[in-house]
Amino acid sequence: MAPAAMRTAAQSLSGAKPVSYWLDDPAKPDALDALTGDEHTDLLVVGGGYSGLWTALIAKERDPERDVVLIEGHEVGWAASGRNGGFCAASLTHGLANGVERWPDEIAKLEELGERNLDAIEAAVARYSIDCEFERTGEIDVATEPHQLEELREWHEEIVKLGITGVDFLDRDALRAEVDSPTFLGGLWDRRGVAMLHPAKLAWGLKRACQELGVRIYEHTRGFDLVRSGEGMAVRTPYGRVFARRVALGTNIFPSLVKRVRPYTVPVYDYALMTEPLTPEQLESIGWKGRQGLGDSANQFHYFRLSADNRILWGGYDAIYPYGGRLSADLDQRPETFLKLAEQFFTCFPQLSGLNFTHAWGGAIDTCARFTAFFGTAYQGRVAYAAGFTGLGVGSTRFGADVMLDLLTGEETERTRLEMVRSKPMPFPPEPFAWAGIEITKRSLAHADSNGGHRNLWLKTMDKLGLGFDS
């Protein structure tokens, strides 16, 4: 980074708050009391992020008489659900390409289920009057290097052959007419498959909707031991216990109460910045009248979008795996990454020189080796779990909630018949092999980005094995 660019980037960060912009909002609801004593319920949901909230909500929608309790170790929406970019995608497979590669025979059904799932999220937002700034704007995958442009062009031809509509190829001029950056060479616009929203307000709105349907929610109530109890299960909490006929685990990146599930995910820390609101003149300089979400096509990619008040969220690029899978609030801040992101932002949008960032934050994503959620049951079907959403959980967690509830009934459904649901990714190896493998993969991906997209022997081997690393 040139000294002048470094100074500009550093100055833009001087007043940034070390907290998620989404969580730094006066709309944040008061915390609920912790559980004290014993509770008895039909269904216990562990985890107050999207996964747990959708599970509790849908459980009551399916059967209003079902008694449901949700426990959350901190506060609803405080982890990944309140720190992500707010990209709510229809894809259940971490993008169409990943789905075609892994489940070619099911991809039509997976795409259909994903579209229905996103429609159901939009309908729930309206039905429960959740003010989460939902905008069905779509997303543009952007090429910033010639090899990326060629890959996008070829992929668009494949999409057409698959009979999928609503995805348009944009050349340089067409893309820059939508959003103007000198780095943009072209892109693919998925016009309906992604919505933008305020992620924390979605979580808070789901919390309110759950309560209105009768779900009892306890915050600052971490679940510890999971054991059999008669015909059901029991979970110990700091000040009590919950006895339940069935349990749904939506803990995602946090250690699963089913220990055998833990090797399937690793935490990846992702980082983001939020600018101050753009003036009308600044907004005019970049266009962006369609308010689409954007992501570049590099392996080390950026994602960026406009907020409701015309700030730009700019995140991604660095994906940091802490040795041993350590989870710590200290890792939510990484100044060297924030500096890098700021410099890259002004490279993308030089016309916004002088703009400042108001917030800088990070958080952990539950990553698995196939990039898509996996599912299962334990304790003779009394417990269900979903994990491994790998950064696309804003939308797919609702689908995962449906799957967990299906599994707990023991009935076969169109969801539980899917190979994606019946199979699991490869587990990550123990340390030091996990850290070494991830580091080699990250360096190989960075090399590919700077070498015309050429994938070395390590990446080609990982591709053949169906393994990967992503945020």
Side-chain angles (χ1 to χ4, degrees):
M1 187 187 302
M6 182 178 293
R7 283 195 299 273
T8 297
Q11 289 168 357
S12 70
L13 292 163
S14 61
K17 293 183 181 180
V19 64
S20 166
Y21 166 77
W22 309 117
L23 295 173
D24 186 28
D25 193 297
K28 182 178 181 295
D30 293 335
L32 300 174
D33 290 342
L35 172 66
T36 57
D38 291 346
E39 264 278 22
H40 295 78
T41 188
D42 295 328
L43 174 66
L44 169 64
V45 179
V46 182
Y50 297 140
S51 187
L53 291 165
W54 281 118
T55 302
L57 186 71
I58 295 171
K60 292 293 285 186
E61 290 179 335
R62 290 188 181 189
D63 181 3
E65 299 304 313
R66 175 184 283 176
D67 191 63
V68 180
V69 167
L70 183 149
I71 61 173
E72 160 57 38
H74 192 69
E75 294 181 21
V76 162
W78 78 278
S81 298
R83 302 167 189 247
N84 62 81
F87 287 64
C88 186
S91 176
L92 304 175
T93 59
H94 208 271
L96 179 60
N98 189 52
V100 168
E101 180 180 347
R102 297 184 186 280
W103 301 289
D105 296 336
E106 290 184 345
I107 193 61
K109 172 57 70 172
L110 289 166
E111 287 292 293
E112 176 198 340
L113 289 170
E115 290 172 9
R116 282 160 48 187
N117 184 65
L118 182 55
D119 288 343
I121 292 172
E122 185 171 14
V125 166
R127 183 165 64 254
Y128 295 108
S129 301
I130 298 174
D131 180 18
C132 64
E133 300 162 10
F134 189 98
E135 297 180 277
R136 194 90 174 246
T137 59
E139 180 180 7
I140 303 175
D141 292 331
V142 174
T144 58
E145 297 289 343
H147 73 272
Q148 296 170 9
L149 182 63
E150 187 58 33
E151 289 168 358
L152 289 181
R153 196 188 306 273
E154 292 174 358
W155 178 235
H156 183 250
E157 293 173 358
E158 291 298 316
I159 291 173
V160 172
K161 290 178 183 177
L162 288 169
I164 294 173
T165 60
V167 180
D168 297 331
F169 180 81
L170 305 178
D171 63 18
R172 176 183 177 277
D173 291 342
L175 174 56
R176 292 188 64 174
E178 294 294 331
V179 187
D180 191 14
S181 166
T183 67
F184 292 175
L185 303 179
L188 285 184
W189 184 2
D190 180 352
R191 291 181 177 270
R192 290 283 298 168
V194 184
M196 298 293 108
L197 53 77
H198 187 302
K201 286 184 177 179
L202 175 62
W204 299 334
L206 291 173
K207 172 183 176 179
R208 174 182 53 78
C210 284
Q211 290 178 294
E212 290 174 351
L213 293 185
V215 177
R216 300 193 301 286
I217 299 176
Y218 298 97
E219 295 182 308
H220 297 288
T221 301
R222 182 182 171 190
F224 294 110
D225 302 325
L226 175 68
V227 297
R228 290 184 179 88
S229 176
E231 295 299 313
M233 303 298 299
V235 173
R236 182 172 59 88
T237 70
Y239 307 118
R241 296 171 297 177
V242 183
F243 297 90
R245 292 182 58 255
R246 296 291 183 266
V247 177
L249 301 177
T251 50
N252 297 309
I253 194 52
F254 299 99
S256 177
L257 295 181
V258 177
K259 292 182 180 179
R260 69 171 182 266
V261 176
R262 296 178 185 179
Y264 290 101
T265 63
V266 295
V268 176
Y269 276 81
D270 180 56
Y271 298 92
L273 306 174
M274 184 68 93
T275 73
E276 60 192 345
L278 272 63
T279 66
E281 294 75 21
Q282 289 170 325
L283 191 58
E284 179 66 25
S285 73
I286 58 173
W288 217 340
K289 294 181 176 63
R291 302 183 58 80
Q292 308 93 330
L294 286 92
D296 61 50
S297 302
N299 293 304
Q300 290 182 291
F301 63 91
H302 303 91
Y303 54 88
F304 39 118
R305 46 83 51 104
L306 289 169
S307 67
D309 59 349
N310 291 330
R311 301 168 184 262
I312 297 177
L313 178 141
W314 177 264
Y317 192 78
D318 276 345
I320 306 301
Y321 169 69
Y323 185 87
R326 182 171 67 95
L327 292 169
S328 171
D330 294 341
L331 299 172
D332 293 346
Q333 291 293 304
R334 198 166 192 269
E336 59 268 42
T337 293
F338 297 146
L339 189 63
K340 188 184 302 180
L341 284 172
E343 190 271 337
Q344 292 164 339
F345 175 87
F346 291 114
T347 297
C348 181
F349 294 121
Q351 61 269 54
L352 297 180
S353 179
L355 193 67
N356 292 315
F357 296 99
T358 61
H359 296 75
W361 72 94
I365 294 168
D366 61 325
T367 295
C368 73
R370 73 181 191 188
F371 309 146
T372 64
F374 60 91
F375 313 89
T377 61
Y379 296 96
Q380 289 75 52
R382 301 174 187 177
V383 177
Y385 57 82
F389 292 94
T390 316
L392 282 189
V394 180
S396 57
T397 45
R398 188 195 174 280
F399 173 81
D402 263 328
V403 171
M404 283 195 284
L405 292 170
D406 289 349
L407 292 173
L408 288 174
T409 69
E411 298 177 5
E412 187 178 90
T413 68
E414 63 179 343
R415 289 176 288 265
T416 61
R417 285 192 293 268
L418 292 168
E419 177 63 22
M420 187 187 82
V421 171
R422 292 186 290 110
S423 63
K424 286 188 173 57
M426 288 285 289
F428 288 93
E431 299 293 12
F433 304 107
W435 185 87
I438 289 171
E439 283 300 305
I440 293 170
T441 302
K442 286 173 56 182
R443 293 176 187 181
S444 298
L445 291 171
H447 181 265
D449 282 339
S450 60
N451 194 31
H454 175 72
R455 298 175 76 81
N456 62 18
L457 181 60
W458 175 268
L459 292 179
K460 289 178 180 178
T461 302
M462 294 296 101
D463 291 342
K464 289 181 179 179
L465 293 174
L467 303 176
F469 175 79
D470 196 7
S471 65

